[in-house]
Amino acid sequence: MKTKLVLGSRNRRGYIPIGYKLMMSYLIFIIILVTVNGYVSHSMYDSSMRDQTSANIQSTLIQIRDNVLYKTEDMWRISSTIYDDEYFVEKLKRKTTNSNEEYVRLKKELFPKLDSVSKSIGINLRLFLYTNNDTMSEIYYTYKPDSRYEDQQTYNIYQMDRIQDKAWYNLLSKEEYGITKKWMEVEDDKDSKRISMIRRIIDLQESADLWEQGIMRFSVSKNELFQSVDYRKLGKGAKLYVQNRAGQIIYASEEIPSSSFQGNESNVHTVNSLQDNYPADEFLTLKEYMPKEDWTIVAHVPLTIIKQEAERVRAFIIGVCIVCFVLFTSLGIYISRYFSKRMMKFVSILNSFREGDLRRRITYKGKDEFSQIATALNEMGEDFEMLIEKVYLTELAKKEAELEMLQTQINPHFLYNTLSSINQLAKFGENEKLRKMVVELAKFYRLTLNSGRMFIPVSSEIEQVNAYLDIQKVKYGNRLGVTYDIDVDVWKYETIKLILQPFVENALKHAWSGADHIHIRIVARIEKGEILYRVIDDGMGVSQASVNELLNTSEVSETGFGIRNIHQRVQLQYGEQYGVSIFSRVGIGTSVDIRLPAKKRRLFLDGE
């Protein structure tokens, strides 16, 4: 009968086996996934490659700029040792015709300073000092290509009348104290491949018209100053140069194409003439500005490097996609056969249950194996439901019996101790305290019994523990302090009864230890859909080992029985994610947290 059913199903018109359906859907998914993944990967890589290259080159340019800036700031610093030296300026402007005084001024006062300044940094530096003092002798070196001073750090003293008609001197802007300076190629700088930093020497004690006492010119080799400006750091075929504000290239790390500046009479390379040589579709152009020197470091990196890398990545991605397609297709064939074979076995096994008396419970329209699965499951469903219901009712009855048993295990010592206290009060004739203790005891047990209900309002639980504490206040008097921190939002919820009093009793029994005073704080609030009870005392505290022992449900000792009782009751009712947690420090106190889900009382549910 089973064989006829399967064969009959396969011979139905329009029937497609589940194996073919799985394979076709899997192939469609793989083709779309591999194609989209390959296209997106290549597009993202092409874009990210350019961005990453730009970021790397920009980072390299920043390092190059910082290296150049370090040297220029070093020169600015050594020039400031003259600029800010009032004693030096005073000696420089002092006029004298006495040869001895002149000798002392030069040898003892000026030369040591100039020698120190010219040699304070480890680069080929030439210091030129131009002074307005016409009584000062000129001292200078003659620089030639084969001169022995070519690579030495030297200083020179000239009269200002040598440069007053020079264009570069007249280009100096109006003096701003501590700011004005200019980088230029002046005098023999161009022929010797050098560049100069120019600053005034001023005397603040003079009037505005006379405060310029001279000019400082620090000439440095471009190769040393721009040593870090090296196109090889950017890659093969890259162009790297430094331009000034006027767009003139003052230094290039390689030869600039002559076609870039043909027709320029001054033979000065300009950026505008170079732009045509580096179009945006062939070169990646990046710049880094140096505001203090008013220079810009410009880099042109050929995009062929990126394009070649992109081609290699494209070929790699296509290869990966082909491999993935073949691999996933083979895997799909294996998986579809794997599931189809087991599905047919599963269908044949389910059809064997049709010999029973099960009723149909769901309707499934279709021409494939799932209709047979639906029929078989419908026929088994009723029996399964009955079986599950029986098991559930049995487990529920067992669970309720366990809860009732745990509730009956509440430590009765409290009643014995209270009756003993009542006896003592009666013996000493303290009738008012006796009456109050009897009233609170009756109230406590009225709330505890609660008509045998397991769940009570949170307000009743707080009232019950308050009654217990009122009894203890009669017994201990002012030595017992109590504070309540109750969130009014908890009143609308219900709780398992008698879960606060055992912790308060435990604090009085164990945490006090004969001290003069103990304070207990009781907290109840709503946190993240849960009710949080917290009992805090300032007693003697316990060690972590003792805390672990108290919460260990496998222990059979009497110590902490009531705590374990509550912990088990909460977890048995609500699950293992709820229960009791204890935090304690010896000599400081103990904090007990009790968490259970926030479930509203029926009164508030009806109100909603």
Side-chain angles (χ1 to χ4, degrees):
M1 181 176 181
K2 175 180 67 175
T3 305
K4 290 181 180 180
L5 173 63
V6 175
L7 292 176
S9 298
R10 288 186 175 181
N11 291 330
R12 283 182 292 179
R13 187 176 181 181
Y15 174 81
I16 300 177
I18 187 65
Y20 290 101
K21 291 181 179 178
L22 287 174
M23 190 61 212
M24 286 188 293
S25 61
Y26 195 80
L27 279 177
I28 294 173
F29 174 77
I30 289 302
I31 292 173
I32 295 175
L33 176 63
V34 172
T35 303
V36 172
N37 183 65
Y39 176 79
V40 172
S41 298
H42 178 265
S43 300
M44 291 179 64
Y45 180 84
D46 193 40
S47 176
S48 64
M49 185 68 181
R50 189 182 182 105
D51 294 340
Q52 184 64 35
T53 302
S54 300
N56 292 338
I57 296 174
Q58 195 73 47
S59 177
T60 303
L61 283 182
I62 291 174
Q63 292 179 358
I64 293 173
R65 179 205 64 188
D66 291 342
N67 290 335
V68 176
L69 190 61
Y70 175 81
K71 293 183 178 180
T72 59
E73 287 182 347
D74 217 8
M75 294 182 63
W76 174 263
R77 177 185 58 79
I78 65 170
S79 69
S80 297
T81 61
I82 295 177
Y83 189 88
D84 297 324
D85 192 343
E86 296 181 1
Y87 176 81
F88 180 86
V89 175
E90 182 64 28
K91 297 300 180 182
L92 185 66
K93 73 176 185 178
R94 187 181 67 195
K95 297 184 181 233
T96 179
T97 57
N98 187 296
S99 59
N100 290 331
E101 291 183 2
E102 178 70 359
Y103 176 82
V104 171
R105 175 170 60 178
L106 292 176
K107 295 295 184 180
K108 302 294 184 181
E109 298 170 347
L110 298 184
F111 286 178
K113 180 73 172 182
L114 297 178
D115 185 69
S116 174
V117 169
S118 64
K119 296 180 179 180
S120 60
I121 57 176
I123 60 176
N124 180 11
L125 180 66
R126 297 174 183 175
L127 170 59
F128 297 88
L129 185 64
Y130 300 89
T131 176
N132 280 324
N133 189 346
D134 55 3
T135 66
M136 182 173 291
S137 303
E138 290 189 338
I139 299 175
Y140 53 88
Y141 297 93
T142 301
Y143 300 99
K144 297 180 180 180
D146 58 345
S147 172
R148 62 189 178 92
Y149 303 108
E150 179 65 27
D151 296 325
Q152 292 185 4
Q153 297 156 312
T154 60
Y155 57 88
N156 306 265
I157 300 177
Y158 293 96
Q159 292 294 326
M160 280 288 292
D161 55 12
R162 284 180 176 268
I163 63 171
Q164 287 180 343
D165 295 330
K166 300 283 187 178
W168 63 267
Y169 170 75
N170 294 317
L171 286 175
L172 284 174
S173 58
K174 185 179 180 180
E175 181 68 19
E176 293 183 52
Y177 181 77
I179 297 177
T180 303
K181 76 171 185 297
K182 194 169 185 66
W183 285 89
M184 290 185 287
E185 289 179 317
V186 300
E187 302 301 325
D188 63 342
D189 282 347
K190 186 173 183 180
D191 294 333
S192 57
K193 297 182 180 179
R194 304 175 72 87
I195 191 168
S196 296
M197 185 189 76
I198 303 169
R199 291 187 71 180
R200 289 188 178 91
I201 301 174
I202 63 171
D203 184 6
L204 296 177
Q205 298 179 2
E206 296 289 346
S207 63
D209 295 331
L210 300 176
W211 74 336
E212 182 184 88
Q213 298 301 318
I215 295 292
M216 294 179 287
R217 180 165 73 91
F218 295 82
S219 178
V220 63
S221 171
K222 288 183 180 180
N223 289 333
E224 286 189 292
L225 183 63
F226 301 111
Q227 185 180 12
S228 61
V229 183
D230 188 353
Y231 76 95
R232 290 171 295 184
K233 296 179 180 179
L234 305 181
K236 185 178 180 180
K239 309 295 180 184
L240 183 63
Y241 54 86
V242 182
Q243 70 178 50
N244 59 17
R245 184 177 185 180
Q248 297 174 331
I249 296 177
I250 59 177
Y251 181 81
S253 68
E254 62 174 342
E255 183 180 356
I256 301 297
S258 59
S259 60
S260 302
F261 54 89
Q262 286 180 354
N264 191 337
E265 295 179 358
S266 61
N267 200 28
V268 176
H269 308 183
T270 62
V271 175
N272 292 332
S273 62
L274 288 174
Q275 292 302 324
D276 295 337
N277 291 70
Y278 307 111
D281 58 341
E282 296 181 12
F283 287 84
L284 177 65
T285 300
L286 297 173
K287 300 179 180 181
E288 195 63 35
Y289 182 59
M290 300 173 63
K292 290 185 178 180
E293 288 69 28
D294 210 9
W295 295 340
T296 302
I297 302 176
V298 183
H300 300 289
V301 181
L303 292 178
T304 54
I305 300 175
I306 302 176
K307 291 178 180 178
Q308 291 173 359
E309 183 66 22
E311 290 295 331
R312 286 196 294 269
V313 172
R314 183 183 297 112
F316 175 78
I317 291 176
I318 292 174
V320 170
C321 290
I322 294 174
V323 171
C324 290
F325 180 81
V326 173
L327 179 63
F328 291 159
T329 302
S330 302
L331 185 63
I333 295 173
Y334 171 80
I335 293 176
S336 64
R337 288 180 178 177
Y338 177 88
F339 281 108
S340 62
K341 287 180 180 179
R342 282 150 183 78
M343 182 65 71
M344 295 307 300
K345 290 180 181 180
F346 183 54
V347 170
S348 64
I349 293 173
L350 289 177
N351 285 332
S352 65
F353 288 102
R354 298 181 66 184
E355 297 176 0
D357 296 328
L358 299 177
R359 297 179 304 168
R360 300 184 62 178
R361 302 179 60 198
I362 60 174
T363 301
Y364 183 89
K365 296 180 180 180
K367 298 180 179 181
D368 54 18
E369 293 84 0
F370 288 103
S371 61
Q372 301 175 37
I373 296 174
T375 301
L377 289 175
N378 284 334
E379 293 174 346
M380 291 186 297
E382 185 174 350
D383 285 349
F384 284 158
E385 184 179 10
M386 292 176 59
L387 180 61
I388 291 173
E389 184 176 359
K390 290 179 180 179
V391 173
Y392 174 78
L393 293 176
T394 303
E395 290 294 326
L396 184 61
K398 180 181 177 182
K399 186 175 181 180
E400 291 178 350
E402 290 177 350
L403 285 172
E404 291 179 1
M405 180 186 70
L406 288 172
Q407 289 191 108
T408 59
Q409 294 175 345
I410 300 297
N411 192 342
H413 291 168
F414 163 66
L415 177 61
Y416 302 150
N417 293 336
T418 303
L419 292 176
S420 177
S421 298
I422 291 173
N423 179 52
Q424 293 295 323
L425 291 174
K427 182 183 296 185
F428 291 103
E430 297 186 23
N431 295 330
E432 181 60 27
K433 290 184 178 181
L434 176 63
R435 184 193 65 79
K436 185 176 181 180
M437 184 173 286
V438 171
V439 170
E440 295 299 333
L441 180 62
K443 180 179 180 182
F444 174 81
Y445 274 99
R446 175 178 58 81
L447 294 170
T448 301
L449 296 174
N450 197 38
S451 301
R453 288 184 295 168
M454 182 185 302
F455 299 97
I456 62 174
V458 174
S459 57
S460 298
E461 179 68 14
I462 300 299
E463 187 179 2
Q464 188 268 345
V465 76
N466 184 52
Y468 171 80
L469 284 168
D470 284 342
I471 294 172
Q472 300 302 323
K473 286 179 181 179
V474 174
K475 179 179 180 181
Y476 296 109
N478 294 330
R479 292 189 299 160
L480 173 61
V482 181
T483 302
Y484 293 92
D485 182 5
I486 310 299
D487 185 355
V488 295
D489 290 339
V490 303
W491 298 134
K492 65 180 72 172
Y493 297 95
E494 66 179 14
T495 180
I496 297 178
K497 70 177 181 179
L498 205 61
I499 61 175
L500 280 177
Q501 182 271 336
F503 290 101
V504 175
E505 180 181 357
N506 189 73
L508 294 175
K509 183 177 181 181
H510 299 289
W512 199 335
S513 187
D516 293 337
H517 184 272
I518 189 171
H519 186 275
I520 298 175
R521 180 185 175 194
I522 298 175
V523 179
R525 61 168 60 101
I526 300 296
E527 283 189 359
K528 300 178 180 180
E530 297 177 352
I531 297 176
L532 170 64
Y533 293 118
R534 182 170 290 160
V535 179
I536 307 170
D537 67 72
D538 59 356
M540 62 184 297
V542 295
S543 64
Q544 185 61 41
S546 299
V547 170
N548 296 336
E549 181 182 354
L550 289 174
L551 294 179
N552 189 353
T553 55
S554 64
E555 293 287 340
V556 296
S557 64
E558 292 297 327
T559 304
F561 175 79
I563 295 175
R564 288 195 297 273
N565 184 302
I566 296 172
H567 187 58
Q568 288 178 308
R569 287 172 58 200
V570 172
Q571 290 195 334
L572 190 59
Q573 183 64 40
Y574 299 113
E576 294 184 356
Q577 65 269 36
Y578 301 101
V580 178
S581 56
I582 302 175
F583 310 91
S584 184
R585 292 286 297 275
V586 176
I588 296 178
T590 303
S591 176
V592 179
D593 286 4
I594 312 163
R595 291 185 179 272
L596 52 152
K599 294 187 177 181
K600 289 186 177 181
R601 296 159 52 194
R602 185 176 299 277
L603 173 65
F604 290 93
L605 289 174
D606 295 341
E608 290 179 349

PDB file of all heavy atoms in Angstrom, residues 412-432:
ATOM      1  N   PRO A 412      10.387  27.694  61.599  1.00  0.00           N
ATOM      2  CA  PRO A 412       9.414  28.085  62.643  1.00  0.00           C
ATOM      3  C   PRO A 412      10.062  28.749  63.861  1.00  0.00           C
ATOM      4  O   PRO A 412       9.354  29.080  64.809  1.00  0.00           O
ATOM      5  CB  PRO A 412       8.791  26.735  63.032  1.00  0.00           C
ATOM      6  CG  PRO A 412       9.921  25.762  62.850  1.00  0.00           C
ATOM      7  CD  PRO A 412      10.706  26.252  61.674  1.00  0.00           C
ATOM      8  N   HIS A 413      11.382  28.948  63.847  1.00  0.00           N
ATOM      9  CA  HIS A 413      12.038  29.517  65.035  1.00  0.00           C
ATOM     10  C   HIS A 413      11.500  30.899  65.374  1.00  0.00           C
ATOM     11  O   HIS A 413      11.538  31.317  66.528  1.00  0.00           O
ATOM     12  CB  HIS A 413      13.546  29.582  64.801  1.00  0.00           C
ATOM     13  CG  HIS A 413      14.182  28.224  64.763  1.00  0.00           C
ATOM     14  ND1 HIS A 413      15.475  28.018  64.327  1.00  0.00           N
ATOM     15  CD2 HIS A 413      13.709  26.999  65.105  1.00  0.00           C
ATOM     16  CE1 HIS A 413      15.766  26.730  64.405  1.00  0.00           C
ATOM     17  NE2 HIS A 413      14.698  26.090  64.870  1.00  0.00           N
ATOM     18  N   PHE A 414      11.046  31.636  64.326  1.00  0.00           N
ATOM     19  CA  PHE A 414      10.527  32.974  64.583  1.00  0.00           C
ATOM     20  C   PHE A 414       9.363  32.932  65.575  1.00  0.00           C
ATOM     21  O   PHE A 414       9.280  33.746  66.506  1.00  0.00           O
ATOM     22  CB  PHE A 414      10.097  33.608  63.257  1.00  0.00           C
ATOM     23  CG  PHE A 414       9.180  34.797  63.435  1.00  0.00           C
ATOM     24  CD1 PHE A 414       9.638  35.963  64.028  1.00  0.00           C
ATOM     25  CD2 PHE A 414       7.861  34.742  63.014  1.00  0.00           C
ATOM     26  CE1 PHE A 414       8.803  37.048  64.188  1.00  0.00           C
ATOM     27  CE2 PHE A 414       7.026  35.819  63.181  1.00  0.00           C
ATOM     28  CZ  PHE A 414       7.483  36.977  63.769  1.00  0.00           C
ATOM     29  N   LEU A 415       8.439  31.981  65.364  1.00  0.00           N
ATOM     30  CA  LEU A 415       7.283  31.887  66.265  1.00  0.00           C
ATOM     31  C   LEU A 415       7.734  31.550  67.686  1.00  0.00           C
ATOM     32  O   LEU A 415       7.267  32.164  68.656  1.00  0.00           O
ATOM     33  CB  LEU A 415       6.305  30.827  65.743  1.00  0.00           C
ATOM     34  CG  LEU A 415       5.076  30.570  66.628  1.00  0.00           C
ATOM     35  CD1 LEU A 415       4.248  31.840  66.774  1.00  0.00           C
ATOM     36  CD2 LEU A 415       4.227  29.445  66.027  1.00  0.00           C
ATOM     37  N   TYR A 416       8.668  30.604  67.810  1.00  0.00           N
ATOM     38  CA  TYR A 416       9.141  30.249  69.138  1.00  0.00           C
ATOM     39  C   TYR A 416       9.804  31.444  69.830  1.00  0.00           C
ATOM     40  O   TYR A 416       9.563  31.716  71.023  1.00  0.00           O
ATOM     41  CB  TYR A 416      10.140  29.095  69.045  1.00  0.00           C
ATOM     42  CG  TYR A 416       9.579  27.848  68.378  1.00  0.00           C
ATOM     43  CD1 TYR A 416      10.418  26.999  67.661  1.00  0.00           C
ATOM     44  CD2 TYR A 416       8.219  27.525  68.456  1.00  0.00           C
ATOM     45  CE1 TYR A 416       9.931  25.866  67.034  1.00  0.00           C
ATOM     46  CE2 TYR A 416       7.731  26.389  67.833  1.00  0.00           C
ATOM     47  CZ  TYR A 416       8.562  25.567  67.125  1.00  0.00           C
ATOM     48  OH  TYR A 416       8.086  24.458  66.504  1.00  0.00           O
ATOM     49  N   ASN A 417      10.633  32.156  69.101  1.00  0.00           N
ATOM     50  CA  ASN A 417      11.324  33.314  69.682  1.00  0.00           C
ATOM     51  C   ASN A 417      10.351  34.405  70.086  1.00  0.00           C
ATOM     52  O   ASN A 417      10.508  35.058  71.120  1.00  0.00           O
ATOM     53  CB  ASN A 417      12.355  33.868  68.695  1.00  0.00           C
ATOM     54  CG  ASN A 417      13.483  32.899  68.457  1.00  0.00           C
ATOM     55  OD1 ASN A 417      13.768  32.044  69.286  1.00  0.00           O
ATOM     56  ND2 ASN A 417      14.119  33.013  67.298  1.00  0.00           N
ATOM     57  N   THR A 418       9.324  34.627  69.248  1.00  0.00           N
ATOM     58  CA  THR A 418       8.346  35.681  69.541  1.00  0.00           C
ATOM     59  C   THR A 418       7.537  35.330  70.792  1.00  0.00           C
ATOM     60  O   THR A 418       7.290  36.171  71.662  1.00  0.00           O
ATOM     61  CB  THR A 418       7.413  35.886  68.340  1.00  0.00           C
ATOM     62  OG1 THR A 418       8.203  36.195  67.187  1.00  0.00           O
ATOM     63  CG2 THR A 418       6.461  37.037  68.593  1.00  0.00           C
ATOM     64  N   LEU A 419       7.094  34.053  70.879  1.00  0.00           N
ATOM     65  CA  LEU A 419       6.336  33.646  72.071  1.00  0.00           C
ATOM     66  C   LEU A 419       7.197  33.752  73.330  1.00  0.00           C
ATOM     67  O   LEU A 419       6.717  34.117  74.411  1.00  0.00           O
ATOM     68  CB  LEU A 419       5.830  32.203  71.893  1.00  0.00           C
ATOM     69  CG  LEU A 419       4.754  32.011  70.796  1.00  0.00           C
ATOM     70  CD1 LEU A 419       4.408  30.544  70.647  1.00  0.00           C
ATOM     71  CD2 LEU A 419       3.505  32.827  71.133  1.00  0.00           C
ATOM     72  N   SER A 420       8.480  33.438  73.197  1.00  0.00           N
ATOM     73  CA  SER A 420       9.392  33.597  74.330  1.00  0.00           C
ATOM     74  C   SER A 420       9.493  35.052  74.746  1.00  0.00           C
ATOM     75  O   SER A 420       9.508  35.380  75.945  1.00  0.00           O
ATOM     76  CB  SER A 420      10.767  33.044  73.958  1.00  0.00           C
ATOM     77  OG  SER A 420      11.679  33.238  75.015  1.00  0.00           O
ATOM     78  N   SER A 421       9.566  35.965  73.742  1.00  0.00           N
ATOM     79  CA  SER A 421       9.622  37.394  74.052  1.00  0.00           C
ATOM     80  C   SER A 421       8.341  37.851  74.726  1.00  0.00           C
ATOM     81  O   SER A 421       8.365  38.676  75.656  1.00  0.00           O
ATOM     82  CB  SER A 421       9.868  38.189  72.765  1.00  0.00           C
ATOM     83  OG  SER A 421      11.099  37.848  72.183  1.00  0.00           O
ATOM     84  N   ILE A 422       7.177  37.340  74.257  1.00  0.00           N
ATOM     85  CA  ILE A 422       5.898  37.692  74.880  1.00  0.00           C
ATOM     86  C   ILE A 422       5.883  37.246  76.346  1.00  0.00           C
ATOM     87  O   ILE A 422       5.421  37.952  77.252  1.00  0.00           O
ATOM     88  CB  ILE A 422       4.734  37.076  74.087  1.00  0.00           C
ATOM     89  CG1 ILE A 422       4.617  37.773  72.708  1.00  0.00           C
ATOM     90  CG2 ILE A 422       3.434  37.177  74.851  1.00  0.00           C
ATOM     91  CD1 ILE A 422       3.607  37.124  71.787  1.00  0.00           C
ATOM     92  N   ASN A 423       6.416  36.053  76.592  1.00  0.00           N
ATOM     93  CA  ASN A 423       6.475  35.538  77.958  1.00  0.00           C
ATOM     94  C   ASN A 423       7.319  36.457  78.844  1.00  0.00           C
ATOM     95  O   ASN A 423       6.952  36.757  79.989  1.00  0.00           O
ATOM     96  CB  ASN A 423       7.037  34.123  77.935  1.00  0.00           C
ATOM     97  CG  ASN A 423       7.144  33.525  79.328  1.00  0.00           C
ATOM     98  OD1 ASN A 423       6.171  33.513  80.084  1.00  0.00           O
ATOM     99  ND2 ASN A 423       8.327  33.029  79.677  1.00  0.00           N
ATOM    100  N   GLN A 424       8.460  36.936  78.312  1.00  0.00           N
ATOM    101  CA  GLN A 424       9.319  37.826  79.090  1.00  0.00           C
ATOM    102  C   GLN A 424       8.631  39.146  79.371  1.00  0.00           C
ATOM    103  O   GLN A 424       8.730  39.697  80.481  1.00  0.00           O
ATOM    104  CB  GLN A 424      10.633  38.066  78.322  1.00  0.00           C
ATOM    105  CG  GLN A 424      11.511  36.842  78.199  1.00  0.00           C
ATOM    106  CD  GLN A 424      12.031  36.378  79.551  1.00  0.00           C
ATOM    107  OE1 GLN A 424      12.346  37.180  80.424  1.00  0.00           O
ATOM    108  NE2 GLN A 424      12.092  35.055  79.731  1.00  0.00           N
ATOM    109  N   LEU A 425       7.932  39.692  78.358  1.00  0.00           N
ATOM    110  CA  LEU A 425       7.216  40.960  78.562  1.00  0.00           C
ATOM    111  C   LEU A 425       6.125  40.799  79.618  1.00  0.00           C
ATOM    112  O   LEU A 425       5.897  41.697  80.441  1.00  0.00           O
ATOM    113  CB  LEU A 425       6.617  41.428  77.234  1.00  0.00           C
ATOM    114  CG  LEU A 425       7.623  41.877  76.164  1.00  0.00           C
ATOM    115  CD1 LEU A 425       6.897  42.177  74.855  1.00  0.00           C
ATOM    116  CD2 LEU A 425       8.397  43.112  76.636  1.00  0.00           C
ATOM    117  N   ALA A 426       5.436  39.648  79.593  1.00  0.00           N
ATOM    118  CA  ALA A 426       4.380  39.409  80.595  1.00  0.00           C
ATOM    119  C   ALA A 426       4.994  39.273  81.985  1.00  0.00           C
ATOM    120  O   ALA A 426       4.440  39.768  82.983  1.00  0.00           O
ATOM    121  CB  ALA A 426       3.596  38.146  80.229  1.00  0.00           C
ATOM    122  N   LYS A 427       6.159  38.648  82.076  1.00  0.00           N
ATOM    123  CA  LYS A 427       6.811  38.463  83.365  1.00  0.00           C
ATOM    124  C   LYS A 427       7.206  39.800  83.982  1.00  0.00           C
ATOM    125  O   LYS A 427       7.089  40.000  85.201  1.00  0.00           O
ATOM    126  CB  LYS A 427       8.035  37.574  83.189  1.00  0.00           C
ATOM    127  CG  LYS A 427       8.770  37.275  84.488  1.00  0.00           C
ATOM    128  CD  LYS A 427      10.032  36.455  84.252  1.00  0.00           C
ATOM    129  CE  LYS A 427       9.661  35.088  83.700  1.00  0.00           C
ATOM    130  NZ  LYS A 427      10.872  34.215  83.567  1.00  0.00           N
ATOM    131  N   PHE A 428       7.670  40.733  83.120  1.00  0.00           N
ATOM    132  CA  PHE A 428       8.107  42.041  83.634  1.00  0.00           C
ATOM    133  C   PHE A 428       7.009  43.084  83.608  1.00  0.00           C
ATOM    134  O   PHE A 428       7.255  44.262  83.895  1.00  0.00           O
ATOM    135  CB  PHE A 428       9.307  42.543  82.823  1.00  0.00           C
ATOM    136  CG  PHE A 428      10.549  41.739  83.057  1.00  0.00           C
ATOM    137  CD1 PHE A 428      10.972  40.806  82.113  1.00  0.00           C
ATOM    138  CD2 PHE A 428      11.294  41.885  84.228  1.00  0.00           C
ATOM    139  CE1 PHE A 428      12.107  40.050  82.313  1.00  0.00           C
ATOM    140  CE2 PHE A 428      12.444  41.131  84.416  1.00  0.00           C
ATOM    141  CZ  PHE A 428      12.858  40.216  83.478  1.00  0.00           C
ATOM    142  N   GLY A 429       5.797  42.672  83.221  1.00  0.00           N
ATOM    143  CA  GLY A 429       4.660  43.578  83.311  1.00  0.00           C
ATOM    144  C   GLY A 429       4.645  44.687  82.278  1.00  0.00           C
ATOM    145  O   GLY A 429       3.974  45.698  82.481  1.00  0.00           O
ATOM    146  N   GLU A 430       5.331  44.517  81.162  1.00  0.00           N
ATOM    147  CA  GLU A 430       5.324  45.555  80.129  1.00  0.00           C
ATOM    148  C   GLU A 430       4.141  45.285  79.213  1.00  0.00           C
ATOM    149  O   GLU A 430       4.269  44.720  78.127  1.00  0.00           O
ATOM    150  CB  GLU A 430       6.642  45.555  79.361  1.00  0.00           C
ATOM    151  CG  GLU A 430       7.830  45.878  80.248  1.00  0.00           C
ATOM    152  CD  GLU A 430       9.108  46.015  79.441  1.00  0.00           C
ATOM    153  OE1 GLU A 430       9.008  46.293  78.228  1.00  0.00           O
ATOM    154  OE2 GLU A 430      10.189  45.862  80.029  1.00  0.00           O
ATOM    155  N   ASN A 431       2.948  45.685  79.707  1.00  0.00           N
ATOM    156  CA  ASN A 431       1.708  45.333  79.031  1.00  0.00           C
ATOM    157  C   ASN A 431       1.549  45.986  77.663  1.00  0.00           C
ATOM    158  O   ASN A 431       1.011  45.382  76.738  1.00  0.00           O
ATOM    159  CB  ASN A 431       0.511  45.710  79.923  1.00  0.00           C
ATOM    160  CG  ASN A 431       0.504  44.897  81.203  1.00  0.00           C
ATOM    161  OD1 ASN A 431       0.966  43.756  81.229  1.00  0.00           O
ATOM    162  ND2 ASN A 431      -0.009  45.482  82.281  1.00  0.00           N
ATOM    163  N   GLU A 432       2.007  47.252  77.546  1.00  0.00           N
ATOM    164  CA  GLU A 432       1.839  47.945  76.267  1.00  0.00           C
ATOM    165  C   GLU A 432       2.660  47.277  75.177  1.00  0.00           C
ATOM    166  O   GLU A 432       2.189  47.046  74.062  1.00  0.00           O
ATOM    167  CB  GLU A 432       2.232  49.413  76.414  1.00  0.00           C
ATOM    168  CG  GLU A 432       2.065  50.248  75.135  1.00  0.00           C
ATOM    169  CD  GLU A 432       0.639  50.282  74.642  1.00  0.00           C
ATOM    170  OE1 GLU A 432      -0.289  50.129  75.473  1.00  0.00           O
ATOM    171  OE2 GLU A 432       0.427  50.411  73.417  1.00  0.00           O
TER     172      GLU A 432
END
